[in-house]
Amino acid sequence: MYKDEIVKKMGISEKVKQQGITLIALVVTIIILLILAGTSIAMLTGDNGIITQAQNAKNNSAKAEFEEKVKLAVTASGINEDGTRIDLSKLDSELKNNAKIPAENIDKTGDNDTLPWVVTEKDYMYIITEDGKVIEINGIVLDKSKLKLLKNESKTLKVIKSKDVNGVITWSSEDTSVATVDQNGNVTAVGNVGETTKITATVQNTNYSATCDVTIINNIVEVTPEEIADNQDKYYGKVVKNYTAGGATYRVFFVDTGNKYKDGINTVYLKADYDQNKKTNLSSYQSYIAEKTKVRIMNPDWANRRGNAEGSWKVNEKAAAWLCDPEDGSGINRPWTENYDNSKANYVIGAPSAEMFVDSYNRVPHTIGNNELGAKYRATNTPGYVYTVDNANESYGTVTKTVDNKDYGNMYCDLKGEWWFSSPSSQEYLYMCSVNGMYSSLQRKWLCH
């Protein structure tokens, strides 16, 4: 009552009073709306805003899609089962035609058109390494992650930068007594064979760096299985210097280009030189039926016709199985255990099969015994193989000097003695297929000889 009188005395009408209250409410409402608008704008913009996050998601999706296209192109271009060797002409076609990457975005940085290659799209950069890996370039990378050098040999490493990286590159060696590097990336091996160190490239005043492992190697020619397969007469019989298990001398024996023996396309098989002081005592096999799968794989003609009834195997077949039983780190104690180096081989067996021998022999020319040899299954009371020469049946043995005893490091016939194949002879139950060094021929060998 009192307040109303005061208002009345001041001449303020009820209408004006209500308008003032409405104006205050309006101002409060506007302030609240501005606060809400500011909050919404903040949510939409800024580093963590919805618009920024949506743009980042879009960019990440585009980058992932680009990376996947490059990886698919590499996979489609692999000519090994594991994809580690790349058909470069096919890779070029896959990148341009299927991945739709313009030619100007494919930088073939490798020497003589070899890998690595760098591919770009917008701000995305990826390197396809020498071993077929696809790695994002976010900062800097080197064109090689590993480098093998002969002593006093030099090679130059190249730095590949992403688009936002600038600055001077400095080079350093972890151990200058092993390898040195100048400020142009020229690496020189100065240490001893087997030593290794890291070479590092760094962008000054940044955290960007990349390394390469350098190893000093012997004067060994490194070739791929494909190169051996394409030049068998050049590489077959060559000593393999980096496989020396058991103190034996090993030679390139066969490259399985068709995966006949089921270890993978272009698997390289080595054969140890004959050593009469390390003859395998076949009588120790007793009645043991060894690893059944491997003897079938190594003797496919025999396996396909003999069937799976190993319970009816004869002594010659059991001995062949014993020779094929692989030493592969499984703990089975075989006379050839010491010849197994699991860092370089999947397994070792006691002898090559007759089929693999003739497959290897027929791949290359010979100055002596330049014949087409064969090992064919014959069903007898003791199932096994007979030999053929130029497709003519030679029964259980071939004539003198049928087999090359001179070329390829005497890999096909050692004049010092006889050695078994891991294949049964079909002559009698106590005989295996073999090479006779005295007569340079294929023969059958008595197990208890």
Side-chain angles (χ1 to χ4, degrees):
M1 186 73 178
Y2 176 73
K3 289 181 180 179
D4 290 342
E5 289 179 357
I6 293 175
V7 170
K8 196 172 184 180
K9 287 180 180 180
M10 292 177 66
I12 301 173
S13 68
E14 185 67 27
K15 182 177 181 181
V16 172
K17 182 177 71 172
Q18 294 298 327
Q19 288 176 342
I21 293 171
T22 302
L23 181 61
I24 292 170
L26 178 61
V27 170
V28 171
T29 301
I30 291 172
I31 291 172
I32 292 171
L33 289 174
L34 288 173
I35 292 171
L36 291 173
T39 302
S40 299
I41 292 170
M43 290 176 65
L44 289 171
T45 61
D47 292 341
N48 295 315
I50 294 173
I51 294 175
T52 302
Q53 290 186 24
Q55 186 61 48
N56 289 340
K58 180 180 179 182
N59 291 338
N60 289 336
S61 177
K63 184 173 75 170
E65 182 181 350
F66 178 64
E67 179 180 348
E68 186 64 21
K69 287 195 300 185
V70 177
K71 287 182 176 179
L72 287 173
V74 171
T75 300
S77 306
I79 58 177
N80 280 354
E81 284 191 334
D82 60 2
T84 54
R85 182 168 168 80
I86 307 299
D87 184 331
L88 295 183
S89 61
K90 189 172 182 181
L91 176 60
D92 184 73
S93 175
E94 289 287 335
L95 290 172
K96 292 175 181 176
N97 299 326
N98 290 336
K100 305 300 181 184
I101 300 173
E104 59 269 22
N105 288 2
I106 304 171
D107 182 7
K108 300 177 180 179
T109 63
D111 298 327
N112 300 319
D113 203 32
T114 60
L115 294 175
W117 290 0
V118 175
V119 290
T120 59
E121 183 172 278
K122 298 179 181 178
D123 293 328
Y124 321 134
M125 295 180 65
Y126 285 86
I127 184 170
I128 304 172
T129 66
E130 292 173 302
D131 56 357
K133 294 179 181 178
V134 178
I135 301 172
E136 182 183 6
I137 302 174
N138 187 13
I140 66 170
V141 297
L142 297 177
D143 65 330
K144 292 180 177 61
S145 60
K146 295 181 180 179
L147 192 60
K148 295 181 180 180
L149 298 174
L150 302 173
K151 186 168 184 176
N152 300 320
E153 184 183 14
S154 296
K155 285 188 178 179
T156 302
L157 293 173
K158 297 177 183 178
V159 173
I160 303 167
K161 304 177 185 178
S162 53
K163 293 180 180 180
D164 59 340
V165 174
N166 294 301
V168 177
I169 301 293
T170 60
W171 295 85
S172 62
S173 171
E174 183 181 49
D175 188 344
T176 55
S177 68
V178 177
T180 62
V181 60
D182 66 19
Q183 292 310 302
N184 293 315
N186 299 313
V187 181
T188 303
V190 295
N192 299 313
V193 172
E195 294 180 333
T196 184
T197 189
K198 286 186 182 295
I199 299 296
T200 302
T202 304
V203 182
Q204 280 186 350
N205 303 318
T206 73
N207 293 323
Y208 296 128
S209 65
T211 62
C212 174
D213 293 326
V214 177
T215 303
I216 303 176
I217 61 172
N218 232 331
N219 190 12
I220 300 174
V221 177
E222 294 189 5
V223 294
T224 65
E226 292 76 21
E227 289 171 323
I228 298 173
D230 291 340
N231 301 277
Q232 289 120 330
D233 57 336
K234 177 180 179 181
Y235 291 112
Y236 275 29
K238 294 296 184 183
V239 173
V240 179
K241 295 185 179 180
N242 66 341
Y243 195 97
T244 57
T249 297
Y250 297 86
R251 301 179 188 275
V252 176
F253 182 60
F254 182 63
V255 180
D256 189 2
T257 57
N259 198 25
K260 176 178 178 179
Y261 299 100
K262 308 304 181 186
D263 287 310
I265 293 174
N266 289 324
T267 295
V268 178
Y269 295 89
L270 309 180
K271 178 187 168 297
D273 281 0
Y274 174 80
D275 186 345
Q276 58 185 353
N277 295 319
K278 293 185 178 181
K279 282 186 176 180
T280 301
N281 182 8
L282 278 177
S283 63
S284 67
Y285 82 93
Q286 298 175 354
S287 61
Y288 179 78
I289 298 177
E291 205 273 358
K292 303 177 186 66
T293 302
K294 186 57 63 179
V295 70
R296 290 195 183 99
I297 289 174
M298 295 294 286
N299 296 280
D301 190 21
W302 167 84
N304 289 339
R305 303 189 193 191
R306 184 71 169 104
N308 296 321
E310 60 266 10
S312 65
W313 282 1
K314 308 299 182 182
V315 175
N316 59 337
E317 293 172 299
K318 292 178 181 179
W322 186 83
L323 273 172
C324 274
D325 191 26
E327 171 54 48
D328 56 5
S330 59
I332 300 174
N333 186 22
R334 295 281 165 264
W336 47 88
T337 297
E338 65 177 4
N339 294 78
Y340 177 51
D341 179 352
N342 64 1
S343 68
K344 300 181 177 70
N346 294 329
Y347 62 85
V348 295
I349 60 175
S353 68
E355 285 197 54
M356 185 179 285
F357 177 90
V358 299
D359 284 343
S360 172
Y361 192 94
N362 295 334
R363 289 278 185 94
V364 292
H366 303 272
T367 57
I368 297 174
N370 193 25
N371 308 296
E372 183 79 11
L373 300 181
K376 296 184 178 182
Y377 173 79
R378 175 179 288 177
T380 65
N381 289 334
T382 53
Y385 289 89
V386 293
Y387 300 115
T388 63
V389 179
D390 296 329
N391 293 314
N393 194 338
E394 293 285 343
S395 189
Y396 307 108
T398 65
V399 298
T400 301
K401 294 187 178 179
T402 310
V403 180
D404 183 354
N405 62 11
K406 179 180 179 182
D407 301 319
Y408 309 102
N410 300 112
M411 181 173 71
Y412 295 109
C413 183
D414 196 306
L415 296 174
K416 298 176 183 177
E418 294 178 271
W419 41 276
W420 286 285
F421 294 134
S422 54
S423 304
S425 170
S426 65
Q427 184 178 16
E428 292 183 40
Y429 78 105
L430 278 176
Y431 283 92
M432 296 279 287
C433 294
S434 72
V435 174
N436 187 311
M438 181 178 297
Y439 299 105
S440 301
S441 61
L442 300 179
Q443 299 289 337
R444 77 285 183 276
K445 185 175 177 64
W446 187 35
L447 294 180
C448 299
H449 188 277

